[in-house]
């Protein structure tokens, strides 16, 4: 990696003292005296300070990460690429670090960065070394991110925050033979002194901004951004493979990642990368609480070559952890701050329950087996396809699929090869093997309106494998259009396991499966099942599901007129699974209704996401042209022989051909996207208890659809009729159906059950 620096204005200061003191004493190495680190018998240290004046900045014209310099594949094609942050000496794009004020305006104070280094001896006589870096509010800004070619950019990003990074080693620094080290990363000055995440506060929230075009373009903003990783006790070091961070058994690790998503669609160049009255709130998202058995490995290797399996240069992370009882997932309204009170109504998903492991599985609640970041070029270096219905192993390039369902479900190998120079994001062996057994509605106006009725949203993910190739696009915001990116994607979220002789799903399909269900986890207060006394609740939904998403050359745009816009001429989506229910978490007495299989293939796909102008909802629109991809010359995405279809089969995995099937579906469906000016389209709205006449919160999803000739194609003109080419029962053709034109309105409302 290399950097070219220019126009640096900074003042350095350092001092050594027997008692380490500096102006930001709240972040000094006093943390070493906490119970987790033991008693410290002696300290000598040094603090190194760096100051950037309020009108100054540390800048770099270009930061380059060189990958596979001089390396070639089996066909002698070059593997060399480089990731570029900033621009070149010719243009104004750059990387900068500078002081900034809270709203993104010019700084009113200097940037102070301090690094404290201290050696000590703990109460057990072992030496230790601590590194503790802190900084007040600053902006880290990259005006461009590109791969090899600086004329093509993913866009620009800026992060405003204060923070802290500290590593306290035990028995020496980076020592793998101890589990008494501590690691802290704190962005937003989060106070986690109380283990209860509902008490955590953020003194200095961060903000992140992203745009695809020049200054003044539409921005996505993350407000009230906080990130905390605090491993109170564990191992932090380096082995022969790379970096290792691992928590000690039985120790506490705190994790927080929370933010509000906002859109700034009426921005100007003078207010670029600023939070202001044009910032429209959309969504609150957060993970917070305790995690256990944390294990991270960071490896200096990238993707693999198909000919010999050798790894290229890049970065691969392997991560897993269990969820503590107090871990929460929060989702709800984003709101402007009002005197420090954000007045947000949201859903809190908590009290995680691990899926059973009666088959002897050794795993964690959340597993990111392998996540690889690398670069790719057109025509080579593909890692191979994704097996849908089969296993996907890290480091292997499959030429065919081996079943992971005992032959019960069909297998397909789907591959979209890299079509350009860009980033590769590859993952294998991911899974989520726990679910929240408690969902609480928290009202942003009055705690008296909070609701806790003992229900659960069960979303487990059995096995996840993806290939993502992202290609930056050319653009200067004026003559060449806006920068951004296109992408090729194949993602499979699957369930492994087959069926018994009677066609019932075997045990592994529940314990290792993908499930999308709603549960009642408070039913034992009014009902007790004598045949299953270990049941903690009842749930209904889709069990043992498989999800597939594949897109070729999908454009991703961000603008005032189109919002967040996804578009492609080759898209396939499939969802299949058993609709049923039973006791959770063990599912000892399942009841099955029907096996549902829905496959959508599109030769034109558009999806747009907009903020509501008053910030109280999320609007969406789009266009689907249903087709049969196998009939499209040159299509890279393999389709099904029935094209777009919907199937309802007998609840027996050995008899899935006994079904009612709507096959060879073609035609156009539009969700109008003119709702910013005229209303219509789709809307997702969380209605708070104080907004509703009956005093009960609701989640409402509304959709208007124009079908057939009433749909308007993205390029203009009437849509094609919606036609069901074959209506089948048990493989017997019963004829066809056609809908020349129609308007369809749907509304789904989830609300509190009446007492």
């Amino acid at each position: 990696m290399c950097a070219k620096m220019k126009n640096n204005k900074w003042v350095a200061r350092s001092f050594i003292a027997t008692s380490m003191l500096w102006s930001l004493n709240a972040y000094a190495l006093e943390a070493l005296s906490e119970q987790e680190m033991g008693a410290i018998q002696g300290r000598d240290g040094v603090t190194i300070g760096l100051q950037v004046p309020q009108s100054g900045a540390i800048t770099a014209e270009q930061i380059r990460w060189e990958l596979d310099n001089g390396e070639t594949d089996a066909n002698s094609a070059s593997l060399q690429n480089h990731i570029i942050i900033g621009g070149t000496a010719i243009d104004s794009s750059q990387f900068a670090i500078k002081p900034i004020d809270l709203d993104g305006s010019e700084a009113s104070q200097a940037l102070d960065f301090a690094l404290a280094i201290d050696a000590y001896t703990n109460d057990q006589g072992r030496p230790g070394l601590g590194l503790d870096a802190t900084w007040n509010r600053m902006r880290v800004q990259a005006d461009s991110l590109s791969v090899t070619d600086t004329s093509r950019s993913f866009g620009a990003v800026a992060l405003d925050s204060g923070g802290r990074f500290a590593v306290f080693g035990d028995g020496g620094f980076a020592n793998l033979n101890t589990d008494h080290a501590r690691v802290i990363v704190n962005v937003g000055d989060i106070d986690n002194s109380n283990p209860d995440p509902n008490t955590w506060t953020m003194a200095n929230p961060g903000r992140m901004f992203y745009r695809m075009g020049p200054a003044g373009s539409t921005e996505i903003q993350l407000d009230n951004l906080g990130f905390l990783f605090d491993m109170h006790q564990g191992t932090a070091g380096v082995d022969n493979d790379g970096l290792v961070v691992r928590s000690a058994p039985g120790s506490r690790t705190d994790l927080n990642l929370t933010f509000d998503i906002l859109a700034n669609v009426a921005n100007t160049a003078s207010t670029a990368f600023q939070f202001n009255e044009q910032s429209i709130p959309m969504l609150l998202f957060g993970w917070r609480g305790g995690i256990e058995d944390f294990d991270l490995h960071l490896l200096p290797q990238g993707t693999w070559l198909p000919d010999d399996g050798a790894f290229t240069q890049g970065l691969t992370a392997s991560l897993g952890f269990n969820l503590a009882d107090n871990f929460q997932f929060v989702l709800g309204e984003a709101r402007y701050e009002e005197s420090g009170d954000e007045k947000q109504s949201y859903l809190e998903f908590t009290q995680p329950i691990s899926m059973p492991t009666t088959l002897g599985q050794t795993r964690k609640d959340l597993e990111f087996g392998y996540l690889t970041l690398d670069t790719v070029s057109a025509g080579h270096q593909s890692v191979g396809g994704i097996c849908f219905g089969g296993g996907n192993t890290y480091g292997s390039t499959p030429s065919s699929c081996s079943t992971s369902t005992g032959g019960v479900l069909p297998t397909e190998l789907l591959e979209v090869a890299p079509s350009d120079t860009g980033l590769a994001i590859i993952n294998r062996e991911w899974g989520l093997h726990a679910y929240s057994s408690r969902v609480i509605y928290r009202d942003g106006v009055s705690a008296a309106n909070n609701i806790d009725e003992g229900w659960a949203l069960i979303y487990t993910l059995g096995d996840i494998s993806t290939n993502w190739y992202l290609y930056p696009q050319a653009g200067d915001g004026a003559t060449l259009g806006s920068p951004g990116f296109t992408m090729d994607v194949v993602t499979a979220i699957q369930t492994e396991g087959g069926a018994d002789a009677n066609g019932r799903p075997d045990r592994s399909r529940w314990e290792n499966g993908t499930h999308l269900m709603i549960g009642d986890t408070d039913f034992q207060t009014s009902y007790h099942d004598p045949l299953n006394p270990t049941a903690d609740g009842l749930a209904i939904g889709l069990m043992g599901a498989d999800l597939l998403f594949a897109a070729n050359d999908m454009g991703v745009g961000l603008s005032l007129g189109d919002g967040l816009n996804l578009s492609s001429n080759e898209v396939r989506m499939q969802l299949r699974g058993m609709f049923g229910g039973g006791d959770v978490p063990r599912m000892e007495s399942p009841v099955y209704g029907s096996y549902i299989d829905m496959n959508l293939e599109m030769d034109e796909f558009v999806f747009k996401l907009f903020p509501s102008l008053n910030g109280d909802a999320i609007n969406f629109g789009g266009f689907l042209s249903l087709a049969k991809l196998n009939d499209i010359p040159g299509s890279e995405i393999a389709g099904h022989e029935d094209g777009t279809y919907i199937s309802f089969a007998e609840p027996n995995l050995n008899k899935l051909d006994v079904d009612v099937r709507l096959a060879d579906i073609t035609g156009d469906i539009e969700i109008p996207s003119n709702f910013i000016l005229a209303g219509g389209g789709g809307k997702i709205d969380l209605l708070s208890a104080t907004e509703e006449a009956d005093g009960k919160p609701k989640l409402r999803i509304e959709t208007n659809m124009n079908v057939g000739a009433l749909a308007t194609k993205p390029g203009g003109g009437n849509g094609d009729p919606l036609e069901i080419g074959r209506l089948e029962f048990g493989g017997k053709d019963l004829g066809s159906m056609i809908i020349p034109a129609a308007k369809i309105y749907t509304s789904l409302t989830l609300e509190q059950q009446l007492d």
Side-chain angles (χ1 to χ4, degrees):
M1 182 181 292
C2 62
K4 300 179 181 178
M5 310 295 291
K6 69 174 183 179
N7 300 330
N8 295 339
K9 299 179 180 179
W10 55 272
V11 179
R13 66 187 189 278
S14 63
F15 59 89
I16 300 177
T18 17
S19 249
M20 194 175 52
L21 298 172
W22 50 299
S23 59
L24 300 176
N25 56 18
Y27 283 146
L29 285 184
E30 292 300 325
L32 291 174
S33 63
E34 294 184 6
Q35 182 177 0
E36 293 89 348
M37 301 305 300
I40 294 179
Q41 300 177 349
R43 291 185 294 155
D44 295 290
V46 57
T47 297
I48 302 172
L50 172 67
Q51 187 180 84
V52 180
Q54 66 185 69
S55 60
I58 301 174
T59 64
E61 291 175 352
Q62 187 182 103
I63 299 176
R64 295 162 59 99
W65 178 10
E66 298 281 356
L67 296 168
D68 300 303
N69 194 359
E71 298 295 324
T72 60
D73 63 14
N75 298 319
S76 299
S78 175
L79 299 175
Q80 182 174 340
N81 275 305
H82 39 271
I83 298 173
I84 305 169
I85 302 175
T88 67
I90 299 175
D91 60 43
S92 61
S93 298
Q94 63 178 13
F95 173 81
I97 300 175
K98 61 182 181 181
I100 200 75
D101 268 1
L102 280 173
D103 60 357
S105 59
E106 293 297 325
S108 57
Q109 62 180 349
L111 166 62
D112 284 303
F113 178 89
L115 174 63
I117 306 173
D118 192 19
Y120 59 90
T121 302
N122 66 15
D123 59 350
Q124 299 180 32
R126 293 194 304 272
L129 178 65
L131 303 178
D132 198 344
T134 61
W135 58 92
N136 61 345
R137 197 169 188 86
M138 70 176 184
R139 167 165 289 180
V140 179
Q141 180 172 334
D143 288 339
S144 176
L145 175 63
S146 53
V147 180
T148 304
D149 180 3
T150 57
S151 69
R152 304 191 305 152
S153 173
F154 284 107
V157 65
L159 171 64
D160 298 351
S161 75
R164 179 189 187 193
F165 172 73
V167 180
F168 305 135
D170 180 70
F173 189 68
N175 182 8
L176 289 176
N177 297 317
T178 180
D179 63 0
H180 284 72
R182 185 171 186 179
V183 177
I184 301 172
V185 182
N186 192 337
V187 174
D189 193 9
I190 298 170
D191 180 1
N192 63 317
S193 54
N194 189 321
D196 181 1
N198 286 312
T199 67
W200 293 356
T201 59
M202 194 163 24
N204 188 11
R207 284 197 176 102
M208 179 176 285
F209 307 85
Y210 171 71
R211 66 171 185 252
M212 292 184 176
S217 301
T218 298
E219 296 174 356
I220 292 178
Q221 302 176 348
L222 303 186
D223 189 38
N224 297 312
L225 172 64
F227 175 76
L228 171 71
F229 174 79
D230 186 356
M231 184 182 74
H232 289 247
Q233 180 183 341
T235 301
V238 179
D239 61 14
N240 292 334
D241 295 322
L243 176 68
V244 177
V245 180
R246 181 187 303 118
S247 64
S251 67
R252 170 184 160 196
T253 299
D254 294 326
L255 175 68
N256 182 93
L257 175 61
T258 54
F259 51 82
D260 293 329
I261 302 176
L262 298 97
N264 193 320
V265 298
N267 206 2
T268 65
S270 62
T271 59
F273 287 165
Q274 289 187 25
F275 178 83
N276 50 45
E277 61 272 13
Q278 280 78 43
S279 300
I280 305 173
M282 294 182 67
L283 182 70
L284 160 69
F285 175 89
W287 288 337
R288 62 190 187 196
I291 59 176
E292 301 168 350
D293 305 312
F294 179 86
D295 193 359
L296 168 67
H297 292 251
L298 199 60
L299 313 175
Q301 65 187 34
T303 57
W304 53 92
L305 300 179
D307 52 331
D308 58 6
F311 289 101
T312 62
Q313 294 178 358
L315 197 61
T316 295
S318 179
L319 170 64
F321 53 84
N322 291 317
L323 305 178
D325 291 342
N326 66 352
F327 189 83
Q328 302 175 358
F329 166 50
V330 296
L331 191 68
E333 296 179 323
R335 283 285 184 256
Y336 297 116
E337 293 184 19
E338 299 176 6
S339 303
D341 184 357
E342 291 146 15
K343 302 293 185 184
Q344 294 171 299
S345 296
Y346 61 90
L347 297 174
E348 178 185 293
F349 304 86
T350 188
Q351 291 189 0
I353 298 292
S354 300
M355 294 295 287
T357 54
T358 64
L359 301 177
Q361 306 94 319
T362 301
R363 66 181 183 208
K364 293 182 169 62
D365 290 341
L366 194 60
E367 295 180 318
F368 301 96
Y370 298 92
L371 171 62
T372 296
L373 174 64
D374 202 347
T375 61
V376 291
S377 299
H380 69 277
Q381 204 180 334
S382 171
V383 298
I386 298 291
C387 287
F388 188 53
N392 295 280
T393 305
Y394 174 71
S396 70
T397 304
S399 57
S400 61
C401 285
S402 297
T403 180
S404 61
T405 65
V408 170
L409 298 176
T411 60
E412 298 180 67
L413 181 62
L414 290 96
E415 178 177 10
V416 181
S419 59
D420 208 338
T421 297
L423 293 178
I425 302 176
I426 309 297
N427 84 263
R428 296 290 186 271
E429 301 172 33
W430 286 22
L432 171 60
H433 309 295
Y435 65 89
S436 300
S437 63
R438 183 183 181 196
V439 181
I440 303 172
Y441 166 77
R442 298 197 180 275
D443 191 77
V445 176
S446 173
N449 292 325
N450 292 352
I451 297 174
D452 178 7
E453 290 206 333
W455 65 280
L457 182 66
I458 299 175
Y459 55 100
T460 64
L461 307 174
D463 180 79
I464 310 173
S465 297
T466 69
N467 293 344
W468 294 70
Y469 303 123
L470 284 70
Y471 317 115
Q473 297 302 299
D476 58 6
T479 59
L480 299 178
S482 295
F485 62 94
T486 62
M487 61 183 181
D488 295 327
V489 181
V490 180
T491 297
I493 304 175
Q494 305 193 76
T495 295
E496 298 180 353
D500 62 21
N502 296 319
R504 293 170 56 89
D506 64 25
R507 189 70 195 163
S508 65
R509 290 190 66 80
W510 173 252
E511 297 193 2
N512 304 323
T514 297
H515 312 299
L516 309 171
M517 310 177 76
I518 294 178
D520 178 359
T521 54
D522 199 28
F523 86 108
Q524 281 192 323
T525 60
S526 58
Y527 171 76
H528 176 68
D529 183 359
L531 299 179
N532 189 8
T534 62
D536 293 323
L538 294 173
I540 186 171
L542 207 60
M543 301 184 290
D546 301 301
L547 296 93
L548 173 69
F549 178 76
N552 184 31
D553 290 333
M554 172 170 280
V556 182
L558 183 64
S559 66
L560 172 61
D562 290 329
L564 177 61
N565 177 38
L566 307 176
S567 60
S568 173
N569 291 326
E570 286 183 48
V571 171
R572 179 179 170 190
M573 295 186 291
Q574 186 170 358
L575 171 64
R576 64 192 184 194
M578 186 75 75
F579 181 80
D583 58 285
V584 290
R586 296 177 62 86
M587 198 56 68
E588 297 285 358
S589 305
V591 177
Y592 301 126
S594 175
Y595 191 84
I596 301 172
D597 186 358
M598 181 171 61
N599 180 65
L600 304 180
E601 300 179 15
M602 289 154 280
D603 62 357
E604 192 160 17
F605 172 91
V606 177
F607 181 77
K608 301 178 181 181
L609 199 63
F610 298 88
S612 173
L613 291 182
N614 57 8
D616 64 353
I618 297 175
N619 295 319
F620 62 91
F623 184 87
L624 309 179
S625 180
L626 303 176
K628 186 174 182 179
L629 291 178
N630 288 344
D631 291 344
I632 300 174
S635 174
E636 287 199 49
I637 298 176
H640 193 274
E641 61 182 8
D642 284 341
T644 294
Y645 68 85
I646 302 174
S647 167
F648 299 91
E650 184 177 337
N652 185 316
L653 293 181
N654 293 338
K655 299 180 180 180
L656 296 182
D657 56 343
V658 182
D659 68 339
V660 175
R661 178 171 298 229
L662 311 179
D664 283 339
I665 303 174
T666 60
D668 296 338
I669 300 173
E670 177 198 18
I671 303 174
S673 55
N674 60 345
F675 34 73
I676 283 187
L677 298 176
K683 177 186 288 187
I684 303 173
D685 197 358
L686 176 62
L687 304 169
S688 67
T690 54
E691 294 175 307
E692 292 299 286
D694 59 4
K696 296 179 179 180
K698 301 174 179 64
L699 175 63
R700 180 170 296 154
I701 303 174
E702 299 177 273
T703 308
N704 285 294
M705 293 182 288
N706 297 330
V707 179
L710 292 182
T712 301
K713 292 179 177 292
N718 295 336
D720 297 326
L722 184 66
E723 182 176 356
I724 301 172
R726 298 194 322 274
L727 176 61
E728 298 179 350
F729 180 75
K732 303 295 185 180
D733 191 347
L734 302 181
S736 61
M737 299 175 63
I738 187 169
I739 303 176
K743 281 184 173 291
I744 301 175
Y745 169 77
T746 64
S747 178
L748 172 66
T749 302
L750 300 177
E751 58 182 295
Q752 180 185 9
Q753 186 176 5
L754 296 176
D755 295 331

